Amino acid sequence: MQDQINQYTVEIEEFAPANAAQLEEYRIRFLGTKGIVKDLFEQFKAVSPEEKRVLGKVLNQFKQLAEAKYNEFKDGFESEGQNGAADIDLTLPGEGFAVGSRHPLSLVRNEIIDIFKRLGFVVAEGPEIEDDWHNFSALNFPEEHPARDMQDTFFIKKEAGNDIALRTHTSSVQVRMMEQGKPPFRAIMPGRVYRNEAISARAHCFFHQVEGLYIDENVSFADLKQTLFHFVTELYGEGTKVRFRPSYFPFTEPSAEMDISCTICKGSGCNMCKYTGWVEILGCGMVDPNVLENCGIDSKKYTGFAFGMGIERIANLKWVIRDLRLFSENDVRFLRQFKTEII
Ligand code: PHE
């Protein structure tokens, strides 16, 4: 038995496993339940008492040696096993994930909302499918007005006096608001609107508007001018000039169109302003007393102004987008160009 132990001792001392599998083989051979150490202890039971005194010590030392060898390598191989592979490079950069960006029209819409919110305007919304009353009649559109024509409006249902159509402007939300509430009103109406136009670089069958309504006692055209002047100064910066040109809308009297000094060339003349230095950005006017009365508001007591602008146009004057179709084609190469911070 002493000889056997000497032989195994040499074997253990020389043992140097190259991998976890060799170490496991060693463990089973020496330390396993049917391994050499166990076997020697079995044999030990049968030796004479005198021999036991000498051999007991030798056998215990052998067992410790066998275990020490195993423990020496165990940790090294264990940690390697957990990492999967020893050659992972922890300094490599991680895999980035794509962060989306806000749609340019959302960015502009939010900016417009922000400016008017600071002036105390609330945001109002309404349905995109409207009846004749809210889109036209209440707004003082005469029966024969061309906007009511099939050429301009997408009708869903044609029925004498009760046409259903896709709204052509968000003025319909103003009507709903005036009908449902009591003055004063101070609100803006952002939303998608539809017009029956051939799609091209300069026109689309749908676009986006922000309209506004302010109704109270003693509201004047001066309030309208100051509000809109403040708005463009906030939007395009100090020094932006405005001018009002007389215009016509069925629902306002007097009506005007507002131009601003060209944001691209600052008035010196470019393609955008067709070398005039001015660009039109919105329609506005004092709410026609007929509209107030149609919506149940006392037009002797209350006056107000309204305005409406296309968001695409405002965005165009910011970023010079030559083709309107880009806004709705979902081409990420276009969409990625706009700042990503969440507004
Ligand atoms: N509703 C008009 C349009 O769609 C815009 C407008 C709103 C004009 C309010 C004047 C007052 O073009």
Side-chain angles (χ1 to χ4, degrees), residues 296-317:
I297 293 171
D298 182 354
S299 62
K300 302 234 163 32
K301 189 166 175 205
Y302 294 103
T303 51
F305 65 78
F307 55 87
M309 67 192 100
I311 301 179
E312 280 82 350
R313 177 113 187 101
I314 306 286
N316 203 2
L317 288 170

Side-chain angles (χ1 to χ4, degrees), residues 6-7 9 22 47 88 150 154 178 193 197 206 209 234-235 240 307:
N6 289 346
Q7 211 179 313
T9 302
Q22 283 180 12
V47 298
I88 278 184
M150 284 289 249
F154 286 116
M178 289 189 280
V193 300
E197 307 232 13
F206 66 77
Q209 278 191 327
E234 288 285 297
L235 192 66
T240 310
F307 55 87

Side-chain angles (χ1 to χ4, degrees), residues 103-266:
H103 192 281
L105 294 179
S106 300
L107 288 172
V108 173
R109 181 199 58 210
N110 292 351
E111 207 177 331
I112 296 170
I113 290 175
D114 241 40
I115 296 170
F116 282 104
K117 262 193 180 162
R118 293 199 291 274
L119 294 176
F121 284 72
V122 296
V123 173
E125 282 177 347
E128 291 184 16
I129 297 175
E130 267 298 4
D131 52 29
D132 177 274
W133 172 255
H134 292 97
N135 198 77
F136 295 124
S137 294
L139 288 160
N140 210 26
F141 275 82
E143 266 318 316
E144 69 288 357
H145 194 283
R148 291 184 172 218
D149 216 313
M150 284 289 249
Q151 269 101 55
D152 289 287
T153 307
F154 286 116
F155 287 99
I156 290 171
K157 208 172 86 192
K158 275 293 241 174
E159 217 174 74
N162 192 28
D163 295 340
I164 305 291
L166 294 178
R167 68 181 177 195
T168 59
H169 51 187
T170 58
S171 302
S172 53
V173 185
Q174 305 187 5
V175 175
R176 290 183 175 275
M177 193 177 195
M178 289 189 280
E179 280 176 341
Q180 281 157 21
K182 277 204 180 91
F185 297 107
R186 209 187 312 171
I188 51 171
M189 299 79 189
R192 181 173 288 181
V193 300
Y194 302 83
R195 292 190 195 171
N196 196 353
E197 307 232 13
I199 298 171
S200 71
R202 318 202 112 250
H204 211 294
C205 60
F206 66 77
F207 62 100
H208 300 81
Q209 278 191 327
V210 176
E211 295 214 353
L213 177 72
Y214 185 11
I215 291 179
D216 203 347
E217 292 177 42
N218 302 317
V219 177
S220 72
F221 202 88
D223 297 314
L224 177 158
K225 283 172 87 174
Q226 181 53 34
T227 304
L228 295 179
F229 176 65
H230 173 81
F231 164 66
V232 293
T233 308
E234 288 285 297
L235 192 66
Y236 292 114
E238 209 69 51
T240 310
K241 289 198 238 78
V242 300
R243 79 176 182 192
F244 291 82
R245 282 179 293 104
S247 186
Y248 172 78
F249 299 102
F251 36 89
T252 48
E253 183 59 37
S255 304
E257 262 154 57
M258 188 174 92
D259 296 343
I260 59 170
S261 47
C262 182
T263 53
I264 308 302
C265 64
K266 308 284 173 224

